[in-house]
Amino acid sequence: TQLLEQSPQFLSIQEGENLTVYCNSSSVFSSLQWYRQEPGEGPVLLVTVVTGGEVKKLKRLTFQFGDARKDSSLHITAAQPGDTGLYLCAGAAESSNTGKLIFGQGTTLQVKP
Amino acid sequence: NAGVMQNPRHLVRRRGQEARLRCSPMKGHSHVYWYRQLPEEGLKFMVYLQKENIIDESGMPKERFSAEFPKEGPSILRIQQVVRGDSAAYFCASQSTWSSGSDTQYFGPGTRLTVL
């Protein structure tokens, strides 16, 4: 069974702090996606990383794909209350021939003003 | 959610009834994936369809669940004789095409199924 371990599961920080969320696996992924999900809504795509070692930036969010394409991280700089939400990583295993996504358990982030 | 439509958004059924969940993919997308999110759990893959074909149903329960994606119209996830354990959020995701390294899926808002 392919797993994507996401940590931490819960994070409560003060506005202005930095944080990092990790996704790790023993499997190689052909791509990895980060989503944000609000209560009662579907996951909204933030970024897709494809190349090992790739770094993508989206304003205060920095996404990195590990060199071996087995892990990824999301770093948020100077978190704001508007960043509060559920963050999900999801990958398509390289061994898969259908592209189905394996999801991490999610990280619930609370940013207090 | 990038144009993927799902309906109904909320569905309440009594045990033993049937539930039909619909998904219209983004325009131009011919690949549809269904995922289920049980309370306090992550999203789990159920089934992958292309127009008129089921490609991978390895995540779908063997009994009571079926899916289709006809040539015309939305993809349908059907659950017969629902039980309380079927209560969950069901998400559809669409993709324009699939090849290794090009796997971006766009999700709909989901259908929240409650079985009484």
Side-chain angles (χ1 to χ4, degrees):
Chain A
T1 303
Q2 293 157 332
L3 292 173
L4 200 50
E5 298 288 339
Q6 188 171 344
S7 63
Q9 275 192 280
F10 300 98
L11 197 52
S12 180
I13 60 172
Q14 292 296 135
E15 181 176 2
E17 292 183 3
N18 302 332
L19 66 116
T20 303
V21 179
Y22 300 93
C23 269
N24 295 290
S25 178
S26 57
S27 302
V28 177
F29 291 95
S30 58
S31 71
L32 198 136
Q33 294 157 47
W34 285 90
Y35 294 88
R36 179 172 161 176
Q37 185 179 18
E38 301 296 335
E41 297 295 330
V44 175
L45 181 71
L46 295 174
V47 78
T48 300
V49 285
V50 176
T51 307
E54 183 176 4
V55 176
K56 281 192 174 179
K57 292 195 174 185
L58 189 65
K59 296 183 181 177
R60 292 177 294 100
L61 279 59
T62 302
F63 304 86
Q64 186 162 6
F65 201 13
D67 290 340
R69 289 182 290 127
K70 293 183 178 181
D71 56 270
S72 181
S73 64
L74 157 61
H75 182 79
I76 302 179
T77 304
Q80 298 175 2
D83 296 328
T84 294
L86 176 65
Y87 291 82
L88 301 164
C89 62
E94 190 172 66
S95 58
S96 168
N97 59 357
T98 64
K100 63 188 179 188
L101 293 178
I102 299 164
F103 277 83
Q105 303 96 315
T107 295
T108 300
L109 171 65
Q110 181 188 43
V111 182
K112 295 181 239 180
Chain B
N1 287 319
V4 179
M5 307 288 288
Q6 285 189 252
N7 66 82
R9 292 290 304 272
H10 299 274
L11 183 60
V12 179
R13 285 287 179 266
R14 295 190 182 279
R15 282 179 294 169
Q17 291 185 320
E18 179 180 285
R20 279 185 181 238
L21 288 61
R22 296 174 192 79
C23 167
S24 296
M26 284 178 65
K27 188 176 180 181
H29 285 195
S30 58
H31 299 236
V32 166
Y33 298 79
W34 285 92
Y35 295 85
R36 177 165 67 174
Q37 189 173 37
L38 290 166
E40 308 305 322
E41 291 189 21
L43 281 89
K44 297 282 196 299
F45 166 78
M46 297 182 74
V47 61
Y48 163 44
L49 310 102
Q50 294 178 22
K51 284 284 187 182
E52 299 185 275
N53 288 301
I54 297 174
I55 307 301
D56 181 351
E57 56 183 348
S58 59
M60 201 142 76
K62 296 284 187 285
E63 297 181 354
R64 303 187 297 105
F65 285 72
S66 62
E68 62 177 15
F69 189 14
K71 186 176 180 181
E72 301 290 337
S75 176
I76 306 282
L77 179 67
R78 182 182 177 208
I79 311 172
Q80 295 178 288
Q81 299 175 319
V82 296
V83 301
R84 289 215 173 110
D86 297 332
S87 295
Y90 292 82
F91 293 98
C92 159
S94 79
Q95 189 170 303
S96 59
T97 183
W98 179 80
S99 62
S100 183
S102 174
D103 307 307
T104 297
Q105 296 177 22
Y106 297 90
F107 282 78
T111 294
R112 270 89 188 153
L113 172 65
T114 302
V115 180
L116 301 175

